[in-house]
Amino acid sequence: MPETEDAPPRRDDRSQSRRSQGGQGASGRDAPLYGALDLGTNNCRLLIARPAREGFRVVDSFSRIVRLGEGLSRTGRLDAGAMDRAYDALGLCAERLIRRGVESDRFIAVATQACRAAENGEAFVERVRKGTGLRLRIIDPAEEARLSVAGCLNLFDPRAEAVLVVDVGGGSTEISWLAKGPRGFETLDWMSAPLGVVTLAERHPEPEDSAPDWYEAMVADMASAIARGGAAAGQAREHFAAGRGHMIGTSGAITSLAGIHLGLRRYQRDLVDGLWMTRGQCEAAADRLRRMGPAGRAADSCIGPDRADLVLAGAAILEAVQRAWPCERVRVADRGLREGLLLERMRQDQPSRRRRRGRVRGRNQGRPQAET
């Protein structure tokens, strides 16, 4: 997906429910701004929003591919050039936060797999703090999985009995299994596989002919990682076997896959976010991407040169999960960790609201009430 310099107007409209439009006070235009930043292995993403009655309204967003984890799997360290790219993007994020007037206590920033795994990850975080004023917190895989689920919860089909959330990152993939319980969907199990689009693509360089066996090797590599993860989630498996479950896929690679399926001339979030795809449609889109070759993918407006060598790795990761957990329905999410961060931070400032509504504290924790 190409870099997003400014949030389009329609995205602002989609970040709230109809009941919350035009609200004032604590959930309207006078509400304070909050910010959430996610520095991943491949992307740097920022979201700035105001609380709305049933979620939040996006005011500004930023996304840039920085490939912070480039070469990390070979060296164990963050590359100097990669750190410079990420630092420059973070500097732009800091400028946006200042320009929008986001207070530091309403801003949260996290770093994931690249900084977790690198020997010099902590040193880079300190460089960022000193140079930009941004305080990045390196989160563990468990928190990353939980926040990704929280950001996607309102895409769950309420008729389903089980949901599998696949968050494909640049350096790792978090998979969470949830089943419907007395208090709504509850996490049964989760795992983090140390493979993402960057690491998988580096392990399997694309041959000139983009042969099917090259793609199958990536699927097999991810399948082995899933098997080593040892996740059980037996109750969810029963629901999936009976056709009572569905998947949610969140990542730039999966949204690009959706754009190819739809035949979009340019990426349109309002058409992609929440899109239902069948397993066969996912496989057909992946096959089309493979046959396009690197040059064709780079020229496609839904992919672009920055994702041309990564999008098939994302498709292979999704296919490996689908083979391990056969499921006909996949819902595409152009949302995830950032949205989970925002919702969680906003709710920390709204305890009285939950009490007035008489809700059980745990019941709606982490549940977004409006599309983002």
Side-chain angles (χ1 to χ4, degrees), residues 236-250:
R237 188 175 290 279
E238 293 175 7
H239 290 313
F240 274 83
R244 297 190 298 265
H246 73 86
M247 292 186 185
I248 288 181
T250 170

Side-chain angles (χ1 to χ4, degrees), residues 140-219:
D140 61 27
E143 185 171 1
E144 186 174 357
R146 179 180 61 79
L147 289 168
S148 296
V149 168
C152 295
L153 271 169
N154 58 341
L155 290 181
F156 285 25
D157 183 347
R159 298 166 298 179
E161 294 295 328
V163 177
L164 191 164
V165 179
V166 187
D167 179 13
V168 183
S172 66
T173 297
E174 278 63 49
I175 307 173
S176 302
W177 291 265
L178 298 96
K180 188 178 291 182
R183 299 195 304 172
F185 285 97
E186 300 175 350
T187 300
L188 297 176
D189 205 350
W190 72 277
M191 65 163 286
S192 179
L195 285 177
V197 295
V198 174
T199 48
L200 192 61
E202 287 182 348
R203 287 169 65 158
H204 300 272
E206 185 171 1
E208 290 185 8
D209 59 357
S210 304
D213 57 349
W214 158 73
Y215 179 76
E216 283 296 325
M218 289 195 292
V219 175

Side-chain angles (χ1 to χ4, degrees), residues 39 68 72 78 111-118 120-122 124-125 138:
L39 177 64
L68 179 60
L72 173 62
L78 299 177
T112 56
Q113 178 64 15
C115 289
R116 273 199 303 262
N120 54 344
E122 293 280 2
F124 177 66
V125 166
I138 301 175

Side-chain angles (χ1 to χ4, degrees), residues 195 200 204 212-226 312-313 315-321 323:
L195 285 177
L200 192 61
H204 300 272
D213 57 349
W214 158 73
Y215 179 76
E216 283 296 325
M218 289 195 292
V219 175
D221 202 351
M222 182 62 190
S224 296
I226 294 172
L312 268 171
I317 289 171
L318 179 63
E319 187 155 335
V321 177
R323 291 182 187 181

Side-chain angles (χ1 to χ4, degrees), residues 337-354:
L337 194 152
R338 285 183 309 172
E339 287 78 4
L341 280 171
L342 268 180
L343 288 163
E344 187 171 87
R345 179 62 191 86
M346 288 175 179
R347 285 184 182 133
Q348 290 173 3
D349 291 346
Q350 298 174 331
S352 60
R353 212 172 131 197
R354 286 197 298 269

Side-chain angles (χ1 to χ4, degrees), residues 9-206:
R10 290 199 66 176
R11 180 165 187 172
D12 205 50
D13 294 338
R14 282 175 54 80
S15 66
Q16 57 177 331
S17 69
R18 292 177 182 174
R19 289 179 295 169
S20 66
Q21 290 180 9
Q24 296 296 320
S27 61
R29 294 185 182 278
D30 295 333
L33 290 173
Y34 288 75
L37 186 149
D38 167 21
L39 177 64
T41 302
N42 193 44
N43 289 279
C44 175
R45 299 186 179 98
L46 171 70
L47 204 59
I48 299 174
R50 297 185 192 278
R53 190 168 300 168
E54 298 297 336
F56 59 79
R57 297 184 62 185
V58 176
V59 173
D60 198 359
S61 67
F62 174 88
S63 178
R64 174 171 290 182
I65 293 176
V66 296
R67 298 203 183 204
L68 179 60
E70 188 173 57
L72 173 62
S73 59
R74 295 191 301 270
T75 67
R77 297 179 59 82
L78 299 177
D79 174 78
M83 288 189 288
D84 288 343
R85 291 193 299 270
Y87 183 89
D88 289 344
L90 290 164
L92 293 174
C93 290
E95 292 173 7
R96 285 188 180 227
L97 290 161
I98 293 170
R99 187 165 66 245
R100 292 288 186 176
V102 180
E103 298 291 338
S104 60
D105 63 343
R106 295 191 180 96
F107 171 69
I108 185 167
V110 301
T112 56
Q113 178 64 15
C115 289
R116 273 199 303 262
E119 295 175 9
N120 54 344
E122 293 280 2
F124 177 66
V125 166
E126 180 62 13
R127 174 190 168 188
V128 170
R129 185 190 67 80
K130 290 180 177 178
T132 70
L134 298 178
R135 296 178 179 272
L136 291 165
R137 178 169 62 89
I138 301 175
I139 60 175
D140 61 27
E143 185 171 1
E144 186 174 357
R146 179 180 61 79
L147 289 168
S148 296
V149 168
C152 295
L153 271 169
N154 58 341
L155 290 181
F156 285 25
D157 183 347
R159 298 166 298 179
E161 294 295 328
V163 177
L164 191 164
V165 179
V166 187
D167 179 13
V168 183
S172 66
T173 297
E174 278 63 49
I175 307 173
S176 302
W177 291 265
L178 298 96
K180 188 178 291 182
R183 299 195 304 172
F185 285 97
E186 300 175 350
T187 300
L188 297 176
D189 205 350
W190 72 277
M191 65 163 286
S192 179
L195 285 177
V197 295
V198 174
T199 48
L200 192 61
E202 287 182 348
R203 287 169 65 158
H204 300 272
E206 185 171 1

